[in-house]
Amino acid sequence: SRNASGVLVVAGGIVENPAAYARLLDSCSVIWLRATPQEHWDRVLAQGDERPMRGQANARARLEALLTARQPEYARAHLQLETSGQDPEAAARGVLALLQESGAAE
């Protein structure tokens, strides 16, 4: 339903599919959960899942280049929230507060 509520979590690569990203932007309140490249790297390592960079000597540099290249598309999100240094619970509270402030949670 177009008026359904919920949370849809998508991978950062969604911006490389213009049709899918445009559909999200047209039908949802899109929030860019920002973090520093180091924070992204640390989160990937903490999850124990290094795909798609496993075994690449320059993986950290490639991740940073990927984030930089995607930044203009990420910036099209309706809202942005800096999550560096936050645990998941704090980030979730930040998302809720941001949605309430913007009126998107009503």
Side-chain angles (χ1 to χ4, degrees):
S1 159
R2 185 144 178 93
N3 295 321
S5 63
V7 175
L8 175 65
V9 179
V10 297
I14 189 77
V15 300
E16 294 181 15
N17 181 329
Y21 192 45
R23 186 166 182 178
L24 279 178
L25 290 168
D26 288 344
S27 60
C28 303
S29 295
V30 177
I31 303 173
W32 173 17
L33 300 180
R34 297 176 53 183
T36 64
Q38 185 63 48
E39 183 88 11
H40 279 287
W41 183 252
D42 291 344
R43 290 174 184 176
V44 167
L45 294 179
Q47 292 171 16
D49 182 2
E50 300 170 22
R51 293 174 298 153
M53 311 246 179
R54 183 179 297 136
Q56 297 182 26
N58 62 345
R60 170 67 171 75
R62 289 198 56 197
L63 174 64
E64 188 165 344
L66 184 64
L67 293 170
T68 299
R70 290 176 175 173
Q71 189 167 354
E73 289 300 314
Y74 292 156
R76 293 176 57 204
H78 305 114
L79 303 166
Q80 298 180 22
L81 179 66
E82 179 59 49
T83 65
S84 293
Q86 295 184 2
D87 62 27
E89 291 79 16
R93 286 191 302 272
V95 167
L96 182 57
L98 191 61
L99 288 170
Q100 290 171 335
E101 289 169 15
S102 72
E106 297 174 356

